[in-house]
Amino acid sequence: MGVPDAGNTAWVLASAAMVLLMTPGLAFFYGGMVRVKSVLNMMMMSLSAIGVVWVLWVLFGYSMVFGDDSVGGWIGDPTQFAGLTSLIGGSFGAGGGPVEIPLVGTVPALAFVAFQAGFAMVTVALVSGAVADRMRFMPWVIFAGLWATLVYFPVAHWVFAFDGVTAETGGWIANQLKAIDFAGGTAVEINAGAAGLALALVVGKRRGWPREAMRPHNLPAVMVGAGLLWFGWFGFNAGSSLAADGIAAVALVNTMGAGAMSMVAWLVVEKIRDGKATSFGAASGVVAGLVAITPSCTAVTPIGALGVGAAAGVACALAIGLKYRFRYDDSLDVVGVHLVGGIVGTLMIGLLASSDMPPGVDGLFYGGGVTQLGRQAVAVVVVLAYAFLVTAAIATVLKLTIGIRADPQHETDGIDEHEHAESAYEFASSHGGHGSSGLFGKQSG
């Protein structure tokens, strides 16, 4: 309980709005990448995550993530902040009285609640890209709720719940293992990437993949989505400082640097490999760099951030081809960008971290030995394995009970029409002018 700091509160409120914007931004990014006949379904899968996650977040999700460690260290106490009722008490200064409200650090606890909810929303939405064009909508909504509860909330507790911040005891990755993950390389990126792989394997390949070309239908939308994601990512990373301070400034500069460097690296790979540098590659490269810098944005120097971005751009540009070699249909490269980029960014902390930066840890290349690299590797392996196995179990149960795959004919005709009774673009409307119907229905001109 206390008086919130006005400047820090303003920054966290703004960051919460920026992080929320990432999910609609992802809808544009993913929506532009699919074929015309499944645009709305793809965008709805992203946007529906906002509603599903927020309801669960208020009821018990926030408490599972940021409550006291319970159930053998697996989750936070789901009853501690259930319904958020314990976070709305105190005095708000009405009538000139004193202000004393629940705080997290120096900001109102409810501002922190809203900020962290955006992380959960976009993580759930990320998974959907692996099953574009072929998963029914209502089973997706049920999957999203189950996955948030059984996968995201526990993993976020391990990574984000520090002792003494929101509760007395927090998660084991943050407090016992002491792996560095400032804004979610494990809890968001690796978590979503591993889940996307598991879900894609259970749902199965798209009809005609990989024989048929399944090109993005709207590259301008992809680029707009990438821009919105980059904008929101400043709130995602710099906002995680929970203060308008030097740590936020470091995170912001490194987020800019890694995104820019990764875009350049991806385009270089494309030019060498394919002879052309593409707009699709530029957008994908930006996202790959942002993914990789998420865990390391306060642990590396600005030069180190360029190194993280370069490594992510090259690794992810090469990794997207793995689905053809290993025959898994990851429609929108959730594995190639988010899983691989998250692994690169998390492990490179063990190589490029500098004790001059806020965490005060040196990586291997700065004389720190392999200790931190080992911690980062343990976090990567555990989160990847947990997310993959539990996601596969959830998807298999749904597949055997309610069914999750679209009807073959619906998939061929277009999932938008059959799942939503809508189409993204109206091609059948009549047009005036030469060749249009005249007053009495005859062809004019």
Side-chain angles (χ1 to χ4, degrees), residues 40-390:
L40 296 179
N41 180 256
M42 189 71 261
M43 299 185 78
M44 281 288 287
M45 290 171 84
S46 290
L47 290 176
S48 64
I50 296 176
V52 172
V53 170
W54 180 254
V55 172
L56 299 180
W57 193 248
V58 171
L59 294 177
F60 57 81
Y62 176 79
S63 194
M64 283 182 65
V65 177
F66 292 104
D68 278 316
D69 208 34
S70 63
V71 194
W74 182 54
I75 59 171
D77 181 354
T79 66
Q80 187 170 351
F81 303 116
L84 307 181
T85 54
S86 62
L87 302 179
I88 58 176
S91 171
F92 291 87
V99 175
E100 190 174 49
I101 62 175
L103 302 179
V104 173
T106 62
V107 305
L110 289 179
F112 180 73
V113 169
F115 175 67
Q116 279 291 334
F119 283 63
M121 293 168 184
V122 75
T123 306
V124 172
L126 283 171
V127 180
S128 67
V131 289
D133 293 329
R134 61 196 189 278
M135 187 169 178
R136 291 165 51 217
F137 181 66
M138 290 312 298
W140 160 257
V141 171
I142 296 169
F143 170 84
L146 292 173
W147 190 84
T149 301
L150 299 177
V151 181
Y152 180 79
F153 295 161
V155 174
H157 175 71
W158 303 345
V159 175
F160 292 145
F162 287 88
D163 292 345
V165 177
T166 59
E168 184 177 348
T169 56
W172 67 274
I173 289 180
N175 299 292
Q176 281 78 52
L177 182 62
K178 298 188 183 301
I180 296 172
D181 186 352
F182 189 72
T186 52
V188 175
E189 308 300 346
I190 294 174
N191 203 6
L197 176 59
L199 185 59
L201 291 174
V202 174
V203 174
K205 304 170 185 176
R206 287 168 289 180
R207 294 176 63 81
W209 185 90
R211 298 186 310 275
E212 298 178 11
M214 299 181 180
R215 298 185 181 90
H217 90 283
N218 192 329
L219 288 171
V222 174
M223 299 185 77
V224 168
L228 291 172
L229 285 169
W230 204 344
F231 174 77
W233 229 295
F234 291 125
F236 199 79
N237 286 355
S240 293
S241 175
L242 300 184
D245 60 8
I247 296 175
V250 167
L252 188 146
V253 166
N254 284 346
T255 300
M256 175 66 81
M261 188 68 231
S262 181
M263 175 176 63
V264 171
W266 190 300
L267 293 177
V268 169
V269 171
E270 277 195 329
K271 182 64 176 176
I272 294 173
R273 182 185 61 197
D274 307 323
K276 302 290 184 181
T278 68
S279 60
F280 185 74
S284 299
V286 167
V287 174
L290 298 173
V291 166
I293 201 62
T294 293
S296 58
C297 58
T298 62
V300 299
T301 66
I303 293 298
L306 297 183
V308 171
V314 172
C316 294
L318 297 175
I320 61 172
L322 294 176
K323 63 185 180 183
Y324 299 105
R325 176 174 296 181
F326 295 105
R327 312 294 289 182
Y328 61 89
D329 185 10
D330 170 24
S331 306
L332 307 185
D333 298 315
V334 179
V335 176
V337 174
H338 294 276
L339 178 57
V340 172
I343 291 172
V344 168
T346 303
L347 292 180
M348 288 197 74
I349 294 172
L351 301 176
L352 295 179
S354 168
S355 58
D356 293 334
M357 306 310 291
V361 173
D362 278 324
L364 179 63
F365 295 170
Y366 285 77
V370 298
T371 301
Q372 192 62 44
L373 180 60
R375 292 170 176 163
Q376 302 301 123
V378 170
V380 166
V381 170
V382 172
V383 171
L384 193 161
Y386 179 83
F388 181 87
L389 293 173
V390 179

